[in-house]
Amino acid sequence: MNTLDINKTKLPLCGNKPNVERNVWAAITTNDNGLFKTFWQQHRYHEARRWSVTDFINEIDFPNLTMLERSYIKNAGFAEITTKPGADRLTRQADSECQKWLNTNPQLSAVMQACGTWSRYWNEEESHHEMAFLYLSYAANENTDSPILNAVPSDKEIIDFRRIYPDDNMLRTLTILAMSEGIATLQYNDFADAATDPALIALFRKISLDESQHMRNFVSFAKALVDSGEFDIRDVLSMAIMFMREDGEIYGNSENRVKERDTHVNWWDAIDDNCQRDPASEEKEVKQIIFKVVENITGIKVSDVEELEEIWMELLVA
Amino acid sequence: MIKNEFKELVLDTISKHSNISKTIISKSHFTLSELIHTSPKLINSVDLMEVFAYTAIQIKKKYQVAPKLPALPLSTTMDEVVEYLFETTKLKLEVRQ
């Protein structure tokens, strides 16, 4: 078997450790064959991060999982079903945007192609999360004396959770995906903090890291759209305000809000109240991560929602 | 602050930024959901929030205070929206005095 570490060879485009490309616009516009080189880095990074669901599951001590752990697993499984329609939508939307900009801004068209191509890795990585949690929930709760009911989704529930999100403009789409992945990072870290089974803790941490790198990818693509000069940063600010304002999405899966929106299911809609974190600390941490997303995409640094709203309204009349 | 004058300002601004005639949005029981679905410009609740922001900007120009941006259910009628904006603007004016 060949044990060569490609990241330590002198082969072209292999010498450094792969990472998320922070400046997609520069990578594509200042390089010859920028798109091919971007694909290669995306692929190397994806391969470097690959892991096995079945290996993690083998290490988990099912009979001794606590009720809280069983509940976390079930909720995470249901929530993760909603990521595939998000990724499918991103692929389709990125392709359509790629064609749209082809003649008027070919560099932006290439950025859209890079985003659509990366979505294949996002979709595959999310499938690990979905299958890990759904199988764990099945193994931990079905045909056991666990009081957790309906531990795995019915066919009807899966089809309902798979509904494709309605389209919006691409910058808004990438911004909400970045925020959503940031919140998932925090959520899985919290599950890890509260869990006791070492293998389950390791799984939550692994998935939290995956979500964190997804967030960094979405931020990079969103920033590239802003760098292109064709997209308006007001859309980043409005998405953040929508998320964080009073009674916004940050405040959980309120029944009224979910009823209002009958088009699709967001992943946080599937998190039961008993799995929610301490509301005050959750709100603080979520806001911090959203402010960071806004700053990294737009360069605008704020510390509270009112300040963000004020800047947004000033930009609306500018 | 005269309520009828306030209402006209709100409806004019919402009409302008949703591309729907004032006659249509002035109908009783016209809801926010209908506003989004009828408008050729609005897609979702983010666009709706933007329309409310433009409305708040106009209110601030005329009355020097901006109302709180509403986060109302889509079943809310336009009359209720006007009422909400009127009351929160009034409250802010009272606090300022």
Side-chain angles (χ1 to χ4, degrees):
Chain A
M1 185 177 168
N2 187 356
T3 56
L4 175 74
D5 182 351
I6 198 169
N7 298 325
K8 289 180 183 164
T9 68
K10 291 191 190 313
L11 284 170
L13 308 175
C14 292
N16 59 331
K17 198 177 160 202
N19 209 334
V20 173
E21 175 55 68
R22 297 300 183 112
N23 194 340
V24 174
W25 183 251
I28 286 175
T29 58
T30 61
N31 273 312
D32 291 336
N33 306 112
L35 206 41
F36 149 70
K37 287 173 185 167
T38 301
F39 290 172
W40 174 238
Q41 296 310 327
Q42 287 176 355
H43 185 83
R44 284 175 70 216
Y45 189 54
H46 171 68
E47 261 198 33
R49 296 188 52 80
R50 288 186 98 168
W51 54 278
S52 159
V53 170
T54 48
D55 286 352
F56 269 93
I57 287 173
N58 274 334
E59 299 298 316
I60 290 173
D61 179 12
F62 286 98
N64 292 315
L65 289 179
T66 64
M67 268 313 111
L68 198 59
E69 287 170 329
R70 289 166 201 263
S71 184
Y72 285 166
I73 290 165
K74 178 192 164 182
N75 274 269
F78 275 68
E80 290 288 351
I81 304 169
T82 65
T83 53
K84 182 183 178 293
D88 292 345
R89 170 202 178 199
L90 186 70
T91 308
R92 182 180 43 73
Q93 197 175 355
D95 178 60
S96 148
E97 290 280 333
C98 174
Q99 298 304 320
K100 177 181 158 188
W101 295 103
L102 194 55
N103 295 319
T104 53
N105 192 333
Q107 293 172 320
L108 177 56
S109 175
V111 167
M112 296 298 185
Q113 184 55 240
C115 180
T117 299
W118 173 76
S119 72
R120 64 186 170 189
Y121 302 117
W122 181 42
N123 215 342
E124 199 267 350
E125 288 165 15
E126 292 293 353
S127 77
H128 276 51
H129 309 171
E130 174 193 288
M131 289 324 301
F133 290 129
L134 287 180
Y135 177 76
L136 280 175
S137 187
Y138 177 80
N141 298 306
E142 293 287 315
N143 307 316
T144 68
D145 56 1
S146 164
I148 297 210
L149 301 173
N150 306 314
V152 286
S154 66
D155 293 357
K156 187 176 177 295
E157 282 171 318
I158 290 177
I159 291 167
D160 184 40
F161 278 40
R162 287 289 206 228
R163 278 181 295 163
I164 301 258
Y165 300 19
D167 275 351
D168 203 341
N169 91 42
M170 191 66 167
L171 183 55
R172 281 186 185 177
T173 300
L174 292 170
T175 302
I176 198 166
L177 289 171
M179 295 191 304
S180 174
E181 295 285 354
I183 294 164
T185 304
L186 295 175
Q187 184 81 64
Y188 288 127
N189 258 333
D190 265 19
F191 286 174
D193 288 344
T196 52
D197 182 283
L200 184 60
I201 293 171
L203 179 66
F204 281 137
R205 298 259 187 248
K206 185 80 183 164
I207 292 178
S208 177
L209 282 172
D210 275 359
E211 307 295 25
S212 171
Q213 64 96 357
H214 295 160
M215 176 185 72
R216 284 184 285 132
N217 269 293
F218 286 124
V219 166
S220 293
F221 287 120
K223 185 177 176 302
L225 265 49
V226 172
D227 290 344
S228 76
E230 303 281 5
F231 283 82
D232 192 329
I233 59 167
R234 292 182 297 193
D235 282 322
V236 177
L237 307 194
S238 61
M239 288 312 283
I241 293 165
M242 188 77 188
F243 222 85
M244 291 188 290
R245 67 182 180 164
E246 205 173 301
D247 202 33
E249 297 285 357
I250 192 178
Y251 297 97
N253 56 346
S254 113
E255 193 187 350
N256 283 340
R257 191 172 43 248
V258 178
K259 274 186 188 160
E260 281 287 309
R261 146 167 62 60
D262 62 0
T263 49
H264 64 282
V265 181
N266 285 318
W267 77 262
W268 54 85
D269 296 336
I271 303 288
D272 283 346
D273 286 346
N274 67 336
C275 291
Q276 298 288 352
R277 305 178 302 145
D278 164 49
S281 98
E282 176 174 0
E283 191 183 326
K284 192 176 165 212
E285 285 178 19
V286 168
K287 282 182 176 173
Q288 278 172 349
I289 210 157
I290 291 177
F291 290 144
K292 202 70 199 162
V293 165
V294 169
E295 186 184 347
N296 288 341
I297 299 173
T298 66
I300 295 172
K301 189 173 182 173
V302 291
S303 52
D304 62 59
V305 185
E306 289 70 28
E307 192 185 354
L308 187 66
E309 198 173 292
E310 208 170 290
I311 294 171
W312 177 59
M313 288 178 72
E314 278 170 17
L315 288 172
L316 283 180
V317 286
Chain B
M1 194 166 68
I2 303 158
K3 197 164 185 179
N4 274 346
E5 203 177 81
F6 184 91
K7 183 178 178 177
E8 292 307 302
L9 176 73
V10 168
L11 293 178
D12 280 338
T13 316
I14 293 179
S15 163
K16 180 183 169 190
H17 290 280
S18 62
N19 281 4
I20 307 177
S21 82
K22 196 172 158 189
T23 320
I24 293 176
I25 63 168
S26 303
K27 281 181 189 165
S28 61
H29 306 305
F30 190 80
T31 64
L32 293 178
S33 173
E34 287 171 301
L35 186 77
I36 292 178
H37 287 111
T38 313
S39 167
K41 202 173 164 186
L42 312 185
I43 297 173
N44 54 32
S45 300
V46 185
D47 296 315
L48 187 62
M49 186 178 76
E50 203 169 287
V51 171
F52 287 144
Y54 281 117
T55 309
I57 289 163
Q58 291 307 314
I59 292 170
K60 192 174 180 187
K61 264 189 197 165
K62 190 164 172 66
Y63 301 102
Q64 285 73 54
V65 291
K68 201 168 147 224
L69 286 184
L72 301 166
L74 293 180
S75 55
T76 309
T77 65
M78 210 52 75
D79 283 348
E80 290 165 334
V81 171
V82 172
E83 192 64 29
Y84 175 92
L85 293 171
F86 185 76
E87 289 304 323
T88 55
T89 307
K90 202 167 85 178
L91 197 68
K92 282 207 174 177
L93 273 172
E94 284 166 5
V95 170
R96 211 183 58 163
Q97 284 160 5

